[in-house]
Amino acid sequence: MEKTPKGFIPVMLMPFQNDGQIDYPALTRLTELYLGAGAAGLFANCLSSEMFELSAQERLETIRHVVDVVGGAVPVVATGTFAGALNEQADFVKKVYDAGTEAVIVITGLLATEQESDAVFDERIFRLLDWTPGIPIGFYECPEPYKRVLSAKQLGQFVDTGRVTYHKDTCLDIEQVRAKLAAVEGHPFGLYDAYMGHAVESLRAGAAGLSCIQGNFFPELIVWLCNNYDNPHAAAEVEAVQQFFVKNMDVMHNVYPIVAKYSLKQRGMDISTFTRRRVGTFTSSIRQGVEALCGDYNILSRSLELV
């Protein structure tokens, strides 16, 4: 039996001009970069896009821009739930879907407070589904405002509705990932893992692909891993790629997304490192770390014949 191909869904960066305005030409170039690398879809208006620092109008305008640039080449998903009453969140879900997305993403930490029970969360999800008929939904266990991780049982019951098609998993626990995959088996649904620490294990367990911030540094390397994770003729190379991401986890997370934008500049992309988020200072030592990372990547990419 032929295996289902795995895919990379980039969590898109948001390019800004140095004055803080959205840089739409750079957003076009960035979208084309993901597509050229072989992305299977795009996750617009996410945490990497600095979604909490965008206005509602900016969220919708940038989603429409990405959808227009993609032109149907791959599916686009985007976040549709933010602070406010549930009916207001449902209304924005409809607007995001009307912007041309294939599915609208629900932030798990915005449907219930950290102190509220799973029962409260579940009831609100089912109510949201009732108020957004016919719209495919996905989940994102976003770290902000707090990380609410779904259990396998919860995910299974949501997917059973036939409305939930996508899940960006951030539990960081391969056993939980396996349990979630078992709970949704047989459904037209994709779990995309954000954690590169166990990327190969997750793909082998049945994840549909990867959706990680590392793809904003080296998208073609994530695509290569999705294509080769189970290739017996590339076992040593797969292990080398996995360890490359493990080794450089801290470098890629430090003052992100500034570091990702700087990495792209190192690779020749015309993009400012400006960010609206307060993520810390981009010090000279952090800069040197990113430059060393790019040097290590160049060596690895040549060994994999990516260049």
Side-chain angles (χ1 to χ4, degrees):
M1 180 178 176
E2 185 177 348
K3 293 185 178 181
T4 303
K6 306 294 183 177
F8 165 49
I9 309 291
V11 285
M12 296 186 66
L13 294 171
M14 182 58 66
F16 297 101
Q17 300 171 4
N18 289 330
D19 64 0
Q21 298 301 305
I22 293 171
D23 187 341
Y24 282 95
L27 183 57
T28 296
R29 293 191 293 272
L30 189 62
T31 303
E32 291 171 344
L33 173 73
Y34 296 130
L35 295 176
L42 298 176
F43 185 176
N45 194 38
C46 56
L47 191 59
S48 290
S49 313
E50 305 179 45
M51 62 183 179
F52 292 121
E53 286 72 39
L54 303 178
S55 68
Q57 181 179 351
E58 287 175 326
R59 291 166 185 158
L60 292 172
E61 287 176 350
T62 54
I63 292 167
R64 293 190 192 104
H65 185 88
V66 170
V67 169
D68 287 346
V69 174
V70 168
V74 298
V76 177
V77 301
T79 303
T81 57
F82 294 90
L86 192 63
N87 64 314
E88 295 172 343
Q89 297 198 44
D91 288 343
F92 199 71
V93 165
K94 295 172 185 176
K95 291 178 181 178
V96 170
Y97 189 61
D98 289 344
T101 58
E102 178 166 289
V104 182
I105 307 305
V106 172
I107 302 298
T108 56
L110 287 174
L111 268 291
T113 68
E114 197 166 1
Q115 292 72 36
E116 289 178 313
S117 67
D118 285 347
V120 169
F121 176 85
D122 295 353
E123 187 276 331
R124 288 177 186 159
I125 290 295
F126 287 122
R127 197 149 33 109
L128 184 69
L129 292 174
D130 287 341
W131 290 352
T132 57
I135 297 178
I137 295 294
F139 292 112
Y140 173 21
E141 295 168 339
C142 184
E144 296 183 18
Y146 75 97
K147 186 191 290 191
R148 191 179 192 103
V149 175
L150 300 184
S151 69
K153 180 181 178 182
Q154 284 178 296
L155 186 60
Q157 69 178 355
F158 298 143
V159 173
D160 278 342
T161 66
R163 289 281 304 284
V164 176
T165 61
Y166 173 97
H167 177 67
K168 176 176 162 64
D169 195 273
T170 69
C171 73
L172 314 183
D173 183 339
I174 189 62
E175 294 308 321
Q176 286 191 51
V177 171
R178 290 191 175 105
K180 288 176 181 177
L181 290 168
V184 300
E185 189 172 1
H187 290 278
F189 166 85
L191 182 150
Y192 291 83
D193 207 326
Y195 184 48
M196 289 304 294
H198 60 221
V200 173
E201 285 183 276
S202 187
L203 293 170
R204 289 174 178 166
L210 303 172
S211 187
C212 50
I213 69 166
Q214 288 81 359
N216 285 321
F217 294 79
F218 314 117
E220 63 284 348
L221 190 56
I222 308 294
V223 171
W224 183 92
L225 192 62
C226 287
N227 290 338
N228 290 279
Y229 73 97
D230 222 14
N231 179 356
H233 302 295
E237 291 86 350
V238 167
E239 177 62 18
V241 171
Q242 175 73 87
Q243 290 309 310
F244 172 81
F245 286 119
V246 171
K247 173 188 173 185
N248 293 295
M249 194 79 69
D250 290 343
V251 176
M252 295 185 181
H253 279 83
N254 204 352
V255 299
Y256 178 86
I258 296 174
V259 289
K261 294 177 180 182
Y262 184 71
S263 175
L264 291 175
K265 283 179 71 73
Q266 290 294 107
R267 302 185 64 194
M269 169 163 275
D270 182 8
I271 184 172
S272 169
T273 59
F274 184 94
T275 175
R276 292 182 184 177
R277 299 193 72 204
R278 296 182 179 180
V279 296
T281 304
F282 187 47
T283 63
S284 60
S285 62
I286 295 174
R287 183 191 308 269
Q288 290 166 9
V290 178
E291 291 170 355
L293 170 69
C294 291
D296 290 344
Y297 169 72
N298 289 336
I299 294 170
L300 178 62
S301 64
R302 283 194 293 270
S303 72
L304 299 174
E305 299 182 351
L306 292 178
V307 293

